[in-house]
Amino acid sequence: MPGKLKVKIVAGRHLPVMDRASDLTDAFVEVKFGNTTFKTDVCLKSLNPQWNSEWFKFEVDDEDLQDEPLQITVLDHDTYSANDAIGKVYIDIDPLLYSEAATVISGWFPIYDTIHGIRGEINVVVKVDLFNDLNRFRQSSCGVKFFCTTSIPKCYRAVIIHGFVEELVVNEDPEYQWIDRIRTPRASNEARQRLISLMSGELQRKIGLKVLEMRGNAVVGYLQCFDLEGESGLVVRAIGTACTLDKLSSPAAFLPACSSPSKEMKEIPFNEDPNPNTHSSGPSTPLKNQTYSFSPSKSYSRQSSSSDTDLSLTPKTGMGSGSAGKEGGPFKALLRQQTQSALEQREFPFFTLTAFPPGFLVHVGGVVSARSVKLLDRIHNPDEPETRDAWWAEIRQEIKSHAKALGCHAVVGYSESTSICEEVCILSASGTAAVLNPRFLQDGTVEGCLEPRLEENLPAGCGFCHIPYDELNMPFPAHLTYCNNCRKQKVPDVLFTTIDLPVDATVIGKGCLIQARLCRLKKKAQAEANATAISNLLPFMEYEVHTQLMNKLKLKAMNALFGLRIQITVGENMLMGLASATGVYLAALPTPGGIQIAGKTPNDGSYEQHISHMQKKINDTIAKNKELYEINPPEISEEIIGSPIPEPRQRSRLLRSQSESSDEVTELDLSHGKKDAFVLEIDDTDAMEDVHSLLTDVPPPSGFYSCNTEIMPGINNWTSEIQMFTSVRVIRLSSLNLTNQALNKNFNDLCENLLKSLYFKLRSMIPCCLCHVNFTVSLPEDELIQVTVTAVAITFDKNQALQTTKTHAEKLLQRASTDNEELLQFPLELCSDSLPSHPFPPAKEHLESASSNSGIPAAQRATSVDYSSFADRCSSWIELIKLKAQTIRRGSIKTTVTVEKASPMGEGNFRNRSAPPCANSTVGVVKMTPLSFIPGAKITKYLGIINMFFIRETTSLREEGGVSGFLHAFIAEVFAMVRAHVAALGGNAVVSYIMKQCVFMENPNKNQAQCLINVSGDAVVFVRESELEVVSTQQPAANCQPSCPGGEVTT
Amino acid sequence: TSELDIFVGNTTLIDEDVYRLWLDGYSVSAAVALRARSGILEQTRATAAVLQSDSVDHYRTFHRLGRPLHAPPKLPHQLIFQIPPSRQALLIGRYYAFDEAFVREVLGKKLSKGTKKDLDDISTKTGITLESCRRQFDNLKRVFKVVEEMRGSLTGRKKLQYLSFGDFAFCAELMIQNWTLGAVDSQLDDMHVDLDKEFLQDVKELKVLVADKDRLDLHKGLVCTALRGKLGVFSEMEANFKNLSRGPVNVAATLTHNKDVRDLFVDLVEKFVEPCRSDHRPLNDVRLFLNHYSASVHSLYGFRHQALWDRSMGTLRGCFLRLYHD
């Protein structure tokens, strides 16, 4: 019996008139928790009642404290008939259950009614007395902190990152219960809201228990979603990353760590025995040896075993004993082994984090994803959600095996989603295969963390680009070259990931939002036939989405995608695919070649002319984009990029001895003299359309940038003005003559126009960047497409932004000063990461490479895929997909996609901020942002998670301004309620805000509409840090004595 | 075309130009056309569809802001729109601003439903959209409700027809500054616009200036001495001094009755402006006269109400001069 919940109802204001006769209201309040209810007195004839109630006390189990919401109902007293409800407030008291968060909830809450919206406000005070029972964590998981933020929260330090936690709970959806036929819409909506609130609480408690079992104290990257499965029920599921976090309170605690010189570390690997096995604790450990040698970039094998074979994991010792690999090889092997053993204990080595402590991420393999089509069954027993669990377990297993195929033992930036239409459900999971540093993963390494270790010695920031897989046994075809940065390791030509750009990555120019959009018509069908149809379409959609992304990336002259999110949405008669990512030019990866168009009928003169016209347009676009995004890689780098192919003699030897590929001859051919461009073959009108559509994407107007990652690569001088927004559009397709092409165009226009509108609306903020642009597509009805966008516009200082071409030294300094915040949390990294000077200054690099590269026609060779390899890639892709595609009755079909990876090193001007122009902390203003930080401010406290679910319904749609008026009002109300809850917790901002669901249904004929919205985020307290700013920017070198957390330096 | 198209910012986006168009009562399509004509499309390289979508969305927001704007003190407390205080002030200021042409038409009329029905005439006459007329009319009613004491100045007579709104506003401002409770008691806030009853009672003491023949003659002597040779029509002034002097003294002295307050402007015009005008005095003469007329009282031996006189006459002099035109 470990808790006492105390509630006081103070006053109301702006209440609606409930009695027409008197134009007044006789209001009273019911306070309910669990099965206990208290009432206040009736406050007669007032729209601004003062109740000043006593403290209502609920004595409850902490289990209930976690599960139940506090429910406050405001009613109008009526002597003769039933009392009328004015509205309700649900308060999640979870933030009061752990010590570091809020201690009291007190403030004005909007009184919400699912039919009328917000109707006045009520002032409430809530407190919880937890009894000091040492066992109190046994029954519940009170005390485990939850964060939506997908990185280590700003005022904490990760001691251990334990790993994946997941849970789901199911129930019947009240909307579909028999009783729903006889109750009012209001009662039905409230039953649903309450149920989801309860289920969320239960889910969170259960996840908390798992965290405690793992001996963690927090969940980071907590993502909770609900699936409205209609007749078959309601699923609430969540995933997250269990961690042990330490609050950063005294800066002194980590200062000593700064003294360890990282430069020394550099030398260590050279003293190591190059034989990886000497470091492994046991030969039985399956080791995938990293080939760090210089084998030719094109000698890949076309083994299409992406997931089911463990071939790539078999030890291959003795390989790659070239001279170049001293640094990487043994180290990697050791690392791999440690990581592996740390990870092997875990069922799913997944991490929902997208940004990491420095040194955590060693290599990135590429995107792994899995989808499965399921037919929904009624959930017969809510207490045993095994089916859904099994479905997800299956998908996760697949993701895990994909990662293995990429030579990775972990998946980062992991997320799961569903799309449901009638009884068909597509489950999707995706993430980025990666090799991690075991340091943060193991129990018992806590102390070890305080000493710099071998594995910190990563090649100056480009390490994450280096391929983790065996280049002779690659799971998919790719071009490899030597890292443009360290010149020692191989990197792919293109890298796709679902994570944020690592802080230390060296980027040239700015990034940009890249989207692939796709529609496919599908016959209406029932049950299995439907599932099969969808299953058959999926692989082609995945493939096309990938091709579009690749083409658009090339068109932008960039070579890597971050934050990739591919959403496949299922409707009655179509499938939609929408992929969003942020393109960047990673300095470590080779310069992308252009796009070359080839026609099928070469002898037709006018056709040829047309082709060459298109070609010119494409070339112009690429040139324009280079200028727009300031992509000016150092000129000499061309040579470097061209150079890494070893001498022919050597290469052929390697091929003979080690390649299992049967295409040896072809590949040798390929490596010679061919154009380096990515070839698009135009063999029919479809292809022509595709090329056209490539060119229709309009760049943002000048002064605007956009990305879907946390911050924009290449911009680092944010000012403090932010504007978070949600925009929703629905278009109706004319049902006549719907072709795939017409659909594509409609969808493409919808997205492009939406972006254009955003740029126009926010033009007063120029220069600014739209960050964390998050598109979601849904198909609410046959002919309707709905796109919802949430993002934040952040202004930046143009003058500083112009200085994009800096010397490395300057960049380094800048990084040193700007990374402050990150570094604070991981003091150890301070030394190893920000202090060492660039080990490979460009000039030196060039000299080296120039000398070692004689005999190669380097000048011409760029790096992209030429036609034949493109074809290769396609065919193997298809093969792979074919292999995977199998229909399972009442079960699944899965397609799997594993994409490239790539490179560089670090400059990462993340999180820089210029001094905020005004420190206007206007009372009552609550900022909201999808980012994990607030520009120009420092988060001093996390108050708890905000996770709110609302339903709004109307039977007077026209009167409320039609669908737009209705939804506009509702979203504004949702924002208002989020802000009110944050303010009541004592906070002034929500970070990592996300609108997870916005389900909108309309029935204009009946003048009705309904909408469900689910949002979440972290309530925080922030303070402007203008003074700290000045200090830190003036003294970048003082970086090693970080001052911020305690605020010592300000004085 | 979009079935649904909305944008909701955490901080409510206010486009000042669109706000003005909305206040001016333009329909969305008219607003889109006007914006397009302003060259905004060329500047921003946006499409007409974008402009349309943007305008519709702003109009929707303004429409929803209407209700809190009807009760301005509630605006900072409402939770639905997060608007920085400076923006709130702008919203309220612009919302309650009015077109002088419109207000002039309404001045003197009852703020009744009948008048509201006639707004289309006013709209036609002034060229202000009916929508905007309605908003301004409703604003007036709201303000009127709050400041009921000022009702008097809102009724009028034919004689006042020649006055502009600015004339009324100027005089009202002078009286608020000098004759209200708020003017003398800094404890009270500026909105305390009740006339200072005590003062009006005391002003009756000034009647002695016309009632006491000795005083009147003395006063007349002082004024005439000062003005001799300086006025175009000196003799009429000398002959009419008693009548002229009665005006300023009586206008203030009768304000203790509500009815007289209501007729203040009529009194101002009838008792001073019209007599002067019938003599065809140039404005300069009137100014000279009023200056010396008020100043010379200070030289009257044994007159005890100097401060009272200044407070009363200072305002009246300003009003007379302002109202003295064709």
Side-chain angles (χ1 to χ4, degrees):
Chain A
M1 222 295 300
K4 190 183 273 180
L5 171 68
K6 301 191 293 180
V7 183
K8 186 185 179 101
I9 306 296
V10 183
R13 68 183 184 195
H14 307 153
L15 295 188
V17 170
M18 297 299 283
D19 179 3
R20 299 249 170 214
S22 66
D23 266 3
L24 288 169
T25 295
D26 303 324
F28 70 101
V29 182
E30 277 183 9
V31 185
K32 188 176 177 196
F33 189 83
N35 294 319
T36 315
T37 306
F38 293 100
K39 285 181 191 177
T40 65
D41 298 333
V42 177
C43 189
L44 289 169
K45 301 196 186 310
S46 172
L47 299 182
N48 300 290
Q50 299 288 323
W51 291 288
N52 256 321
S53 78
E54 60 189 293
W55 284 101
F56 300 123
K57 294 177 183 131
F58 302 85
E59 298 188 334
V60 278
D61 285 344
D62 49 0
E63 194 174 321
D64 287 340
L65 280 174
Q66 284 194 291
D67 288 6
E68 295 270 349
L70 174 66
Q71 181 181 319
I72 293 167
T73 312
V74 186
L75 300 109
D76 178 50
H77 177 75
D78 197 321
T79 317
Y80 304 107
S81 60
N83 299 324
D84 293 326
I86 295 172
K88 284 189 161 83
V89 179
Y90 292 97
I91 300 178
D92 178 8
I93 48 171
D94 209 53
L96 296 179
L97 302 182
Y98 44 93
S99 53
E100 286 155 34
T103 53
V104 63
I105 300 177
S106 167
W108 289 99
F109 291 88
I111 302 167
Y112 181 73
D113 178 68
T114 61
I115 305 294
H116 294 100
I118 290 178
R119 308 171 94 189
E121 292 116 39
I122 184 169
N123 194 307
V124 181
V125 186
V126 186
K127 288 179 178 175
V128 171
D129 289 339
L130 278 178
F131 299 167
N132 268 337
D133 175 0
L134 287 177
N135 293 329
R136 75 170 188 235
F137 291 157
R138 293 224 175 133
Q139 301 296 317
S140 73
S141 56
C142 285
V144 173
K145 293 179 279 286
F146 284 78
F147 302 90
C148 295
T149 300
T150 56
S151 54
I152 303 303
K154 296 285 176 273
C155 33
Y156 291 91
R157 188 177 73 96
V159 179
I160 307 167
I161 298 174
H162 300 279
F164 193 58
V165 279
E166 48 78 30
E167 186 63 83
L168 64 79
V169 293
V170 300
N171 211 314
E172 268 187 281
D173 189 338
E175 186 101 338
Y176 295 87
Q177 286 163 347
W178 66 270
I179 196 174
D180 203 60
R181 292 181 200 161
I182 54 167
R183 66 182 163 194
T184 62
R186 174 181 285 119
S188 166
N189 292 339
E190 284 175 0
R192 266 177 129 184
Q193 285 193 165
R194 195 180 130 70
L195 178 67
I196 289 194
S197 190
L198 261 172
M199 289 168 77
S200 303
E202 183 191 343
L203 193 67
Q204 214 168 312
R205 176 174 55 83
K206 286 185 168 171
I207 289 215
L209 282 172
K210 291 191 173 179
V211 173
L212 291 175
E213 264 169 39
M214 297 164 96
R215 287 193 283 161
N217 63 5
V219 181
V220 177
Y222 184 67
L223 178 68
Q224 183 213 290
C225 293
F226 63 85
D227 300 325
L228 296 172
E229 296 187 351
E231 295 275 335
S232 49
L234 188 60
V235 176
V236 183
R237 56 189 165 79
I239 56 175
T241 305
C243 295
T244 301
L245 299 182
D246 246 7
K247 184 136 172 77
L248 288 174
S249 46
S250 79
F254 54 76
L255 277 175
C258 293
S259 61
S260 51
S262 58
K263 276 189 184 171
E264 288 172 19
M265 301 303 303
K266 294 260 139 229
E267 313 303 332
I268 293 177
F270 292 94
N271 303 330
E272 298 289 336
D273 186 324
N275 182 352
N277 282 339
T278 57
H279 294 285
S280 54
S281 53
S284 60
T285 317
L287 267 184
K288 178 176 173 275
N289 200 347
Q290 177 66 35
T291 44
Y292 45 84
S293 71
F294 40 78
S295 55
S297 66
K298 295 205 169 146
S299 66
Y300 52 79
S301 65
R302 275 186 41 198
Q303 195 168 353
S304 47
S305 60
S306 81
S307 67
D308 299 329
T309 82
D310 276 339
L311 264 182
S312 58
L313 292 174
T314 50
K316 288 175 183 156
T317 45
M319 269 176 33
S321 53
S323 57
K326 271 187 185 167
E327 189 178 42
F331 159 62
K332 272 187 191 170
L334 173 62
L335 181 56
R336 184 173 305 278
Q337 186 198 353
Q338 286 180 337
T339 315
Q340 196 167 349
S341 55
L343 287 172
E344 259 171 2
Q345 301 152 5
R346 298 177 173 84
E347 188 183 9
F348 297 114
F350 298 170
F351 300 86
T352 54
L353 303 177
T354 58
F356 312 92
F360 183 72
L361 190 66
V362 182
H363 301 301
V364 168
V367 170
V368 285
S369 77
R371 292 182 206 281
S372 129
V373 181
K374 301 287 189 189
L375 280 175
L376 297 173
D377 254 341
R378 182 171 280 279
I379 301 168
H380 293 291
N381 183 1
D383 294 330
E384 296 182 354
E386 279 100 359
T387 345
R388 303 306 187 266
D389 269 337
W391 288 357
W392 285 112
E394 211 173 278
I395 288 217
R396 288 171 192 143
Q397 204 58 53
E398 195 168 330
I399 289 277
K400 188 179 174 182
S401 64
H402 290 335
K404 272 191 180 174
L406 283 173
C408 296
H409 300 105
V411 176
V412 294
Y414 179 73
S415 66
E416 295 175 348
S417 63
T418 58
S419 171
I420 296 172
C421 179
E422 302 292 328
E423 52 182 348
V424 176
C425 175
I426 302 181
L427 311 185
S428 307
S430 74
T432 304
V435 173
L436 304 178
N437 186 328
R439 209 174 51 150
F440 292 96
L441 301 174
Q442 281 163 325
D443 287 12
T445 52
V446 188
E447 281 74 29
C449 277
L450 293 175
E451 293 164 35
R453 298 250 234 117
L454 172 71
E455 55 269 24
E456 277 177 39
N457 172 39
L458 298 173
C462 56
F464 80 93
C465 303
H466 301 162
I467 54 162
Y469 39 83
D470 177 354
E471 73 179 283
L472 297 180
N473 210 355
M474 283 193 299
F476 54 84
H479 282 253
L480 300 182
T481 51
Y482 277 112
C483 173
N484 214 4
N485 182 48
C486 67
R487 322 286 313 133
K488 309 225 173 202
Q489 303 288 310
K490 290 291 181 68
V491 296
D493 56 341
V494 183
L495 178 64
F496 285 11
T497 77
T498 59
I499 56 172
D500 274 334
L501 183 70
V503 184
D504 56 354
T506 313
V507 170
I508 293 177
K510 296 195 168 65
C512 74
L513 179 70
I514 290 180
Q515 287 195 320
R517 304 156 187 146
L518 186 68
C519 303
R520 278 288 169 273
L521 285 169
K522 166 185 89 63
K523 286 224 170 63
K524 280 195 188 179
Q526 294 298 312
E528 275 113 280
N530 195 18
T532 310
I534 294 168
S535 304
N536 291 339
L537 273 173
L538 280 179
F540 295 96
M541 294 196 64
E542 300 255 20
Y543 171 69
E544 249 184 86
V545 163
H546 175 259
T547 309
Q548 251 190 56
L549 283 174
M550 193 64 105
N551 287 341
K552 289 188 175 179
L553 186 66
K554 301 268 176 208
L555 209 57
K556 294 280 193 307
M558 296 174 184
N559 57 18
L561 288 180
F562 287 88
L564 176 63
R565 188 167 158 257
I566 302 176
Q567 197 194 350
I568 303 271
T569 307
V570 59
E572 291 250 306
N573 55 351
M574 64 176 106
L575 284 174
M576 313 280 287
L578 179 65
S580 304
T582 299
V584 293
Y585 185 109
L586 288 178
L589 263 54
T591 308
I595 297 178
Q596 175 112 29
I597 302 188
K600 263 276 159 95
T601 46
N603 292 327
D604 182 338
S606 67
Y607 188 71
E608 283 282 278
Q609 205 181 347
H610 183 66
I611 294 287
S612 72
H613 176 67
M614 299 279 287
Q615 181 68 60
K616 185 174 176 305
K617 261 175 112 175
I618 285 179
N619 294 345
D620 289 352
T621 309
I622 293 177
K624 226 182 281 169
N625 281 332
K626 273 189 179 173
E627 198 179 322
L628 184 62
Y629 300 108
E630 296 158 33
I631 299 171
N632 313 305
E635 278 175 31
I636 320 147
S637 68
E638 285 277 326
E639 283 178 37
I640 300 173
I641 292 161
S643 65
I645 307 293
E647 296 163 35
R649 182 171 44 85
Q650 218 170 356
R651 179 183 47 194
S652 50
R653 182 178 60 78
L654 273 171
L655 278 172
R656 252 196 324 278
S657 62
Q658 278 156 351
S659 169
E660 289 133 37
S661 164
S662 54
D663 314 337
E664 204 170 314
V665 183
T666 333
E667 285 172 36
L668 281 171
D669 253 344
L670 286 177
S671 60
H672 281 288
K674 274 227 174 180
K675 288 244 175 71
D676 43 292
F678 196 68
V679 178
L680 283 182
E681 190 175 333
I682 303 190
D683 49 359
D684 57 15
T685 43
D686 273 13
M688 194 59 103
E689 286 290 323
D690 290 348
V691 175
H692 274 296
S693 72
L694 267 187
L695 297 168
T696 52
D697 282 10
V698 185
S702 86
F704 264 113
Y705 293 90
S706 54
C707 62
N708 78 331
T709 44
E710 280 246 310
I711 48 112
M712 177 72 168
I715 298 180
N716 45 38
N717 39 340
W718 305 103
T719 48
S720 60
E721 195 188 342
I722 67 170
Q723 168 69 288
M724 188 282 295
F725 59 85
T726 291
S727 186
V728 185
R729 270 192 196 190
V730 177
I731 55 161
R732 185 175 291 279
L733 303 162
S734 58
S735 52
L736 303 166
N737 304 327
L738 270 185
T739 60
N740 279 334
Q741 269 172 24
L743 260 180
N744 277 336
K745 185 172 180 335
N746 273 315
F747 183 36
N748 215 31
D749 288 352
L750 172 59
C751 295
E752 284 291 311
N753 289 337
L754 186 45
L755 280 170
K756 278 183 207 161
S757 271
L758 297 181
Y759 296 138
F760 182 77
K761 276 216 174 284
L762 299 163
R763 66 193 184 283
S764 66
M765 292 181 77
I766 286 178
C768 98
C769 179
L770 300 188
C771 296
H772 213 286
V773 177
N774 185 10
F775 272 69
T776 48
V777 193
S778 48
L779 298 163
E781 276 172 51
D782 265 17
E783 288 135 25
L784 296 183
I785 303 180
Q786 176 190 329
V787 173
T788 309
V789 185
T790 298
V792 61
I794 311 183
T795 54
F796 61 90
D797 188 333
K798 199 179 183 180
N799 297 327
Q800 288 182 45
L802 291 174
Q803 314 169 1
T804 43
T805 42
K806 286 183 185 127
T807 68
H808 279 259
E810 274 173 328
K811 282 181 172 173
L812 207 70
L813 278 182
Q814 186 174 19
R815 172 160 60 109
S817 66
T818 57
D819 286 354
N820 232 348
E821 201 161 339
E822 247 68 33
L823 295 167
L824 290 176
Q825 282 118 58
F826 299 96
L828 299 175
E829 267 62 45
L830 269 175
C831 346
S832 59
D833 246 64
S834 58
L835 280 188
S837 57
H838 237 270
F840 301 104
K844 192 179 150 208
E845 233 170 43
H846 300 152
L847 285 177
E848 281 174 356
S849 57
S851 61
S852 66
N853 274 316
S854 50
I856 310 265
Q860 293 274 326
R861 236 193 73 59
T863 36
S864 34
V865 191
D866 58 3
Y867 170 63
S868 35
S869 76
F870 176 59
D872 261 349
R873 204 178 279 209
C874 299
S875 58
S876 63
W877 185 284
I878 298 278
E879 271 168 39
L880 187 147
I881 282 164
K882 279 181 189 156
L883 268 176
K884 302 262 83 197
Q886 33 184 320
T887 319
I888 300 171
R889 305 187 72 218
R890 289 276 154 188
S892 64
I893 208 209
K894 298 169 217 166
T895 52
T896 22
V897 183
T898 331
V899 201
E900 304 59 312
K901 88 140 216 175
S903 117
M905 66 153 281
E907 156 216 8
N909 300 322
F910 273 61
R911 308 283 146 82
N912 186 21
R913 36 191 74 139
S914 60
C918 53
N920 64 332
S921 42
T922 319
V923 184
V925 169
V926 175
K927 300 217 174 206
M928 290 169 72
T929 172
L931 309 178
S932 64
F933 67 101
I934 292 171
K938 181 162 182 53
I939 293 171
T940 54
K941 196 175 184 189
Y942 283 78
L943 298 167
I945 200 168
I946 296 280
N947 185 14
M948 300 170 89
F949 171 78
F950 300 103
I951 302 178
R952 181 85 152 79
E953 185 166 354
T954 184
T955 49
S956 51
L957 187 58
R958 274 187 297 278
E959 294 77 359
E960 296 202 29
V963 287
S964 295
F966 171 72
L967 194 59
H968 190 274
F970 184 34
I971 292 179
E973 285 174 342
V974 169
F975 286 3
M977 288 185 276
V978 170
R979 290 192 300 255
H981 277 77
V982 172
L985 286 170
N988 54 5
V990 192
V991 296
S992 300
Y993 168 82
I994 176 174
M995 182 177 282
K996 292 176 291 191
Q997 234 135 350
C998 178
V999 184
F1000 179 72
M1001 290 155 287
E1002 57 169 322
N1003 189 342
N1005 297 330
K1006 285 188 174 170
N1007 205 19
Q1008 289 176 343
Q1010 192 191 37
C1011 186
L1012 298 84
I1013 286 182
N1014 184 204
V1015 297
S1016 66
D1018 294 325
V1020 300
V1021 180
F1022 72 84
V1023 289
R1024 294 267 158 225
E1025 63 177 8
S1026 358
E1027 287 172 33
L1028 287 173
E1029 271 308 305
V1030 175
V1031 172
S1032 66
T1033 46
Q1034 283 173 349
Q1035 308 176 328
N1039 195 3
C1040 216
Q1041 276 78 40
S1043 49
C1044 303
E1048 266 79 15
V1049 162
T1050 33
T1051 55
Chain B
T1 55
S2 298
E3 281 271 302
L4 184 157
D5 178 7
I6 56 160
F7 175 99
V8 190
N10 181 39
T11 301
T12 306
L13 265 190
I14 309 285
D15 185 309
E16 291 184 36
D17 297 335
V18 185
Y19 188 50
R20 184 161 283 142
L21 291 169
W22 180 72
L23 289 175
D24 286 346
Y26 292 103
S27 66
V28 183
S29 48
V32 171
L34 283 167
R35 294 182 81 190
R37 225 172 294 159
S38 77
I40 195 168
L41 292 181
E42 291 74 21
Q43 281 166 31
T44 57
R45 287 196 285 159
T47 63
V50 164
L51 194 61
Q52 167 81 19
S53 149
D54 181 68
S55 305
V56 170
D57 205 61
H58 280 303
Y59 264 56
R60 191 182 300 121
T61 304
F62 297 143
H63 177 73
R64 289 178 52 73
L65 270 171
R67 211 194 297 176
L69 279 171
H70 291 167
K74 282 186 187 165
L75 194 61
H77 300 297
Q78 57 80 35
L79 300 177
I80 295 184
F81 301 96
Q82 178 158 276
I83 305 170
S86 62
R87 281 291 187 177
Q88 289 183 11
L90 177 131
L91 284 174
I92 296 172
R94 294 259 176 92
Y95 192 82
Y96 283 89
F98 45 73
D99 293 301
E100 295 202 355
F102 167 80
V103 179
R104 184 63 197 90
E105 291 299 321
V106 179
L107 263 192
K109 291 183 179 158
K110 276 195 171 172
L111 295 174
S112 63
K113 281 185 180 158
T115 314
K116 195 167 182 181
K117 275 181 195 152
D118 296 337
L119 286 179
D120 42 357
D121 293 338
I122 296 180
S123 168
T124 319
K125 189 172 170 189
T126 57
I128 297 163
T129 61
L130 182 58
E131 197 59 29
S132 175
C133 288
R134 286 197 181 126
R135 174 181 55 83
Q136 296 185 47
F137 183 83
D138 290 340
N139 282 347
L140 283 180
K141 276 175 77 170
R142 277 188 282 271
V143 173
F144 184 67
K145 208 174 167 186
V146 176
V147 205
E148 262 182 297
E149 277 70 26
M150 299 177 82
R151 189 186 297 148
S153 62
L154 294 175
T155 58
R157 300 282 158 84
K158 272 226 167 101
K159 277 178 180 167
L160 305 181
Q161 205 64 43
Y162 78 100
L163 296 176
S164 73
F165 173 78
D167 295 337
F168 288 108
F170 180 85
C171 297
E173 170 74 10
L174 273 180
M175 285 180 251
I176 290 169
Q177 291 303 326
N178 299 309
W179 288 1
T180 57
L181 285 171
V184 282
D185 188 346
S186 56
Q187 297 294 305
L188 296 168
D189 62 34
D190 289 345
M191 280 307 286
H192 221 283
V193 290
D194 279 354
L195 287 174
D196 184 348
K197 289 267 157 64
E198 206 175 320
F199 159 70
L200 295 175
Q201 199 64 42
D202 292 347
V203 162
K204 292 187 170 169
E205 302 287 326
L206 299 175
K207 281 189 172 179
V208 51
L209 285 174
V210 268
D212 183 337
K213 179 114 186 10
D214 294 345
R215 283 247 159 83
L216 180 70
D217 289 342
L218 203 56
H219 190 196
K220 178 177 168 181
L222 287 168
V223 174
C224 289
T225 313
L227 290 176
R228 195 178 303 275
K230 293 181 182 165
L231 294 185
V233 278
F234 179 77
S235 52
E236 282 92 338
M237 189 279 290
E238 198 174 20
N240 276 334
F241 185 83
K242 187 177 177 184
N243 279 339
L244 284 175
S245 183
R246 207 178 269 155
V249 172
N250 284 341
V251 167
T254 55
L255 286 179
T256 42
H257 305 294
N258 273 339
K259 182 191 164 296
D260 294 312
V261 174
R262 208 171 299 157
D263 293 338
L264 173 69
F265 280 89
V266 179
D267 286 350
L268 286 172
V269 171
E270 280 181 346
K271 292 183 175 157
F272 186 83
V273 173
E274 286 186 341
C276 290
R277 198 153 43 191
S278 64
D279 290 345
H280 303 289
R281 287 163 204 264
L283 178 61
N284 228 21
D285 282 11
V286 176
R287 182 176 295 120
L288 266 176
F289 170 76
L290 284 173
N291 288 348
H292 288 282
Y293 174 76
S294 35
S296 53
V297 168
H298 295 283
S299 316
L300 279 179
Y301 179 75
F303 186 69
R304 294 172 298 145
H305 307 295
Q306 305 290 359
L308 197 60
W309 172 254
D310 285 346
R311 188 175 173 194
S312 162
M313 199 53 211
T315 302
L316 287 173
R317 188 181 56 193
C319 293
F320 289 143
L321 289 171
R322 172 80 195 202
L323 302 182
Y324 194 77
H325 63 83
D326 291 329

